[in-house]
Amino acid sequence: MSERLVVIGGDAAGMSAASQARRLKKPGELEIVAFERGHFASFSACGIPYWVGGDVAERDELIARTPEEHRARDIDLRMRTEVTEVDVDGQRVRTRDLESGEEAWTGFDKLVIATGARPLRPPLPGIDAPGVHGVQTLDDGQALLDSLRRTKGRRAVVVGAGYIGVEMAEALLNRGYEVTVLNRSEQPMATLDPDMGRLVHRAMDGLGITTVGSSAVTRILTGEDGRVRAVGTDDAEYPADVVILGTGVVPETALARAAGLPLGVYGGLLTDLAMRVRGQENIWAGGDCVEVLDLVSGRERHIALGTHANKHGQVIGANVGGGYATFPGVVGTAVSKVCALEIARTGLREKDAREVGLSYVTVTVESTSRAGYYPGAAPMTVKMLAERRTGRLLGVQIVGQEGAAKRVDIAAVALTAGMTVEQMTALDLGYAPPFSPVWDPVLVAARKALSAVRAAG
């Protein structure tokens, strides 16, 4: 007898789960119905800043698989259809067609919740004025590009200096805008320690981006036409012809909360290793709407990344389809860039280590991306945290030019394996002058961290 899988959300986690389940189960064994309230499915939100900035020429290049392609694989993907209620006991979901307004109930044997995250939109005066944009979906990106084409002025204000904020600052700089970034924290990139964030701040200033720290936005000011004209803080106003909100995201779990499903401290759904919602036999969840285990701190975290979402979907699809797979957790690896500056981090910051009660040492080293004598060698700063007593690696942050960011993958593997900095010093990494100094910058940091651990007793 055929079962029905219902998927809420048509992007990375949801459609990866649906596709993997379909590989394992034939249509006669498993009917798959997916609901997506937007206009697009299976797209790369991470690519939107590069589309806006002109590095990606066409919107459709960011679409991995169209609704028609999913349907051709026997996945009944229904676009512009919003799930408004989950009835756990009755094993059904209520939907509303956003074009016609028609509502209906659809039963399920198995359910996947992949509702993603929603951008934080602070309730400020003028926040909904024309010219103020978020950048969460392809619709958002298109609306922003349309707005830029209509706007005569060339002044842009970006609110927030996290990953989206710095990437959108680069995109607008590439389009010839005068860019100001307003950030609540003292330094940009709060995912870094302040000393490393200071390097990013200095580099952004050098690019001509005005970065204002310790500056909380209090209002959006508009002109006589109702369109944005400036962004206000407690002590200043910054003229703006366009405003980009890069204030972060939170899990989109209103449906789950209303259904009584378990949520964590960050508001994300809680799951077991198989990505099954805790306490439920036939409900799974994945992507930006869940919290996951941090393998370094041992605590739950909310990290909104497409890499995780796709892995969650693969795990869910395998389990729904009768196989077995698990998602053990993350170490918090992320990379970004602003123009030529590359930014990377993995593991814990000093703040994180203190919060979980870890005693640690830190070291910072200056090195280069290639052998110093080889043309194109660029500076790189590596900061490393290690546990004081054991020498266990706790975290790495890297800021530098070409070749800096992906070096964090060495540390990500070491963190996942639970390596000490002493073990890291013996890693057999690739070397040739065009790619690295004889001692790779990460290994130089590991050697220095080992000395710090020994000195600390």
Side-chain angles (χ1 to χ4, degrees):
M1 180 178 176
S2 176
E3 292 184 310
R4 177 184 288 156
L5 167 65
V6 167
V7 178
I8 307 174
D11 203 3
M15 299 318 294
S16 290
S19 297
Q20 179 68 356
R22 174 53 71 229
R23 293 185 191 103
L24 298 174
K25 290 284 189 179
K26 297 177 181 178
E29 300 173 309
L30 182 68
E31 176 190 2
I32 303 177
V33 181
F35 298 107
E36 168 55 47
R37 65 186 179 187
H39 291 93
F40 304 94
S42 299
F43 65 89
S44 171
C46 300
I48 293 174
Y50 308 107
W51 169 38
V52 172
D55 296 312
V56 176
E58 299 294 336
R59 178 191 66 198
D60 288 356
E61 293 180 46
L62 301 181
I63 298 174
R65 191 168 289 174
T66 65
E68 291 75 22
E69 288 174 318
H70 283 300
R71 292 173 191 136
R73 291 168 169 82
D74 291 305
I75 297 171
D76 182 5
L77 174 56
R78 304 178 190 180
M79 303 298 294
R80 299 293 291 151
T81 305
E82 181 175 20
V83 175
T84 59
E85 183 181 349
V86 175
D87 179 0
V88 174
D89 294 333
Q91 292 197 194
R92 58 180 187 163
V93 299
R94 186 203 297 268
T95 61
R96 180 172 65 244
D97 186 310
L98 296 178
E99 305 294 343
S100 68
E102 182 180 350
E103 294 192 345
W105 285 98
T106 301
F108 64 82
D109 297 291
K110 299 177 180 180
L111 175 68
V112 174
I113 301 175
T115 45
R118 57 180 173 82
L120 287 169
R121 198 174 182 92
L124 302 175
I127 195 71
D128 295 320
V132 180
H133 296 271
V135 283
Q136 182 77 0
T137 66
L138 293 187
D139 286 326
D140 295 336
Q142 189 64 62
L144 172 58
L145 284 171
D146 292 342
S147 181
L148 295 178
R149 294 186 185 104
R150 292 192 301 265
T151 302
K152 295 181 179 179
R154 310 298 290 178
R155 298 168 301 181
V157 171
V158 179
V159 180
Y163 294 107
I164 291 296
V166 299
E167 289 166 1
M168 289 307 304
E170 174 187 351
L172 293 164
L173 192 69
N174 288 345
R175 284 190 168 270
Y177 278 75
E178 176 186 325
V179 182
T180 299
V181 178
L182 303 179
N183 191 40
R184 183 183 294 272
S185 301
E186 182 180 357
Q187 301 298 342
M189 298 301 294
T191 53
L192 304 178
D193 286 322
D195 54 338
M196 296 296 282
R198 195 171 298 116
L199 300 179
V200 179
H201 192 157
R202 189 182 308 150
M204 291 173 69
D205 286 346
L207 293 167
I209 298 170
T210 302
T211 307
V212 185
S214 303
S215 184
V217 172
T218 57
R219 62 202 181 281
I220 306 295
L221 299 110
T222 56
E224 293 182 358
D225 59 356
R227 186 177 175 82
V228 62
R229 66 170 180 83
V231 177
T233 65
D234 285 332
D235 51 11
E237 291 183 5
Y238 298 88
D241 301 297
V242 65
V243 174
I244 310 298
L245 301 177
T247 48
V249 299
V250 293
E252 180 59 276
T253 50
L255 276 175
R257 184 183 300 276
L261 298 175
L263 304 180
V265 295
Y266 298 99
L269 275 156
L270 297 176
T271 69
D272 61 18
L273 291 176
M275 302 308 297
R276 183 183 281 104
V277 173
R278 294 180 191 175
Q280 299 295 322
E281 185 63 29
N282 295 309
I283 302 178
W284 288 260
D288 295 351
C289 66
V290 305
E291 295 181 18
V292 294
L293 177 65
D294 184 312
L295 297 174
V296 186
S297 70
R299 294 186 175 181
E300 304 291 337
R301 294 182 63 183
H302 177 246
I303 302 178
L305 278 177
T307 52
H308 300 164
N310 279 284
K311 291 171 186 173
H312 296 169
Q314 290 289 308
V315 169
I316 293 169
N319 292 319
V320 168
Y324 178 71
T326 62
F327 183 81
V330 302
V331 294
T333 308
V335 296
S336 186
K337 79 179 190 75
V338 53
C339 297
L341 184 74
E342 298 184 2
I343 307 158
R345 56 97 63 208
T346 190
L348 307 182
R349 302 166 297 176
E350 291 192 52
K351 174 184 175 182
D352 304 322
R354 288 193 298 269
E355 285 180 353
V356 297
L358 289 170
S359 180
Y360 62 90
V361 298
T362 71
V363 297
T364 302
V365 301
E366 306 286 341
S367 187
T368 55
S369 58
R370 305 172 180 175
Y373 55 80
Y374 193 88
M380 182 186 312
T381 302
V382 180
K383 180 175 182 176
M384 185 171 287
L385 280 72
E387 191 172 14
R388 180 182 295 269
R389 184 177 63 83
T390 66
R392 177 172 65 108
L393 179 67
L394 296 179
V396 170
Q397 299 163 38
I398 305 176
V399 175
Q401 302 291 316
E402 181 183 2
K406 288 297 283 180
R407 271 185 166 86
V408 82
D409 289 343
I410 302 168
V413 172
L415 284 167
T416 304
M419 294 179 69
T420 66
V421 289
E422 183 173 13
Q423 290 170 325
M424 288 183 68
T425 63
L427 286 174
D428 186 10
L429 303 184
Y431 161 70
F435 305 105
S436 170
V438 171
W439 279 93
D440 188 271
V442 173
L443 298 191
V444 174
R447 292 178 65 186
K448 190 172 181 180
L450 175 58
S451 297
V453 169
R454 288 173 173 169

